[in-house]
């Protein structure tokens, strides 16, 4: 099972570099990377992805808000210090522009012998890039990461309109999502 440098060294991550990745690229499946279209790449999120368009891609999915580069960097650094919790990856086109992204967040449980569960979140591909199986590749890569870091399962929430896509990716309906939103957030 993979362990982050923070876990194996017994000390928290030092502040990540300006262009360093959020996690080790060795956690991304070579088979998934090789299945991308020519000149496309998949890699861990980097601090510099603020200017590479990752927030524009997320706007295809939901409301993002006005996020300054300073606020982005602060959140990135916060996530990076939790080196074995947040695994955000991006797909880039041949020009280095982010055209897709997704995340798996690892939850530590008391059940299942202190098991780990991967929560897949924020799967999105630019509208002009859809139909190239990039979403499928993101899901496959996140599943690979979850397995490599020791998760016993991955779960995700989706709208009914997206259920067919996730079924094609090997997921099945097993419950019902409920939410309570807070007005001040």
């Amino acid at each position: 099972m993979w362990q982050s440098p923070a876990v194996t060294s017994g000390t928290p991550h030092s502040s990540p570099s300006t262009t360093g990745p959020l996690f080790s690229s060795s956690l991304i499946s070579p088979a998934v990377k090789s299945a991308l279209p020519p000149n496309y790449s998949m890699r861990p999120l980097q601090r510099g992805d603020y200017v590479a368009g990752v927030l524009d891609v997320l706007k295809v999915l939901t409301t993002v808000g006005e996020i300054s580069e300073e606020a982005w960097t602060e959140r990135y650094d916060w996530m990076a210090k939790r080196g074995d919790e947040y695994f955000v990856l991006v797909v880039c086109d041949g020009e280095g522009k982010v055209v897709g992204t997704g995340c798996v967040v690892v939850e530590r449980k008391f059940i299942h012998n202190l098991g780990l569960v991967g929560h897949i979140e924020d799967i999105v591909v630019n509208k002009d890039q859809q139909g190239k199986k990039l979403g499928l590749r993101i899901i496959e890569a996140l599943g690979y990461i979850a397995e490599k870091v020791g998760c016993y399962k991955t779960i995700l929430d989706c709208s009914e309109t997206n259920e067919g896509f996730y079924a094609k990716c090997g997921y099945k309906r097993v419950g019902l999502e409920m939410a309570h939103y807070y007005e001040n957030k």
Side-chain angles (χ1 to χ4, degrees), residues 29-59:
S29 164
V32 171
K33 289 200 293 191
S34 70
L36 291 169
N39 300 318
Y40 281 67
S41 62
M42 180 179 283
R43 61 170 172 75
L45 183 73
Q46 298 176 359
R47 275 175 124 200
D49 286 332
Y50 179 87
V51 296
V54 72
L55 294 178
D56 292 329
V57 175
L58 287 168
K59 288 177 184 176

Side-chain angles (χ1 to χ4, degrees), residues 17 19 23 33 74 116 151:
S17 71
T19 59
F23 62 92
K33 289 200 293 191
E74 184 178 317
L116 304 176
C151 294

Side-chain angles (χ1 to χ4, degrees), residues 36 38-46 48-58 60 89-101 124-129 132 134 138:
L36 291 169
N39 300 318
Y40 281 67
S41 62
M42 180 179 283
R43 61 170 172 75
L45 183 73
Q46 298 176 359
D49 286 332
Y50 179 87
V51 296
V54 72
L55 294 178
D56 292 329
V57 175
L58 287 168
V60 174
L89 59 78
V90 296
V91 174
C92 298
D93 65 12
E95 297 169 9
K97 179 182 174 193
V98 174
V99 296
T101 187
V124 62
V125 174
N126 267 352
K127 288 188 186 294
D128 67 343
Q129 298 290 320
K132 298 178 180 180
L134 299 178
I138 291 169

Side-chain angles (χ1 to χ4, degrees), residues 3 5 9 11 31 71 87 89 131 134 144:
Q3 286 191 310
S9 69
T11 59
F87 300 89
L89 59 78
L134 299 178
Y144 183 88

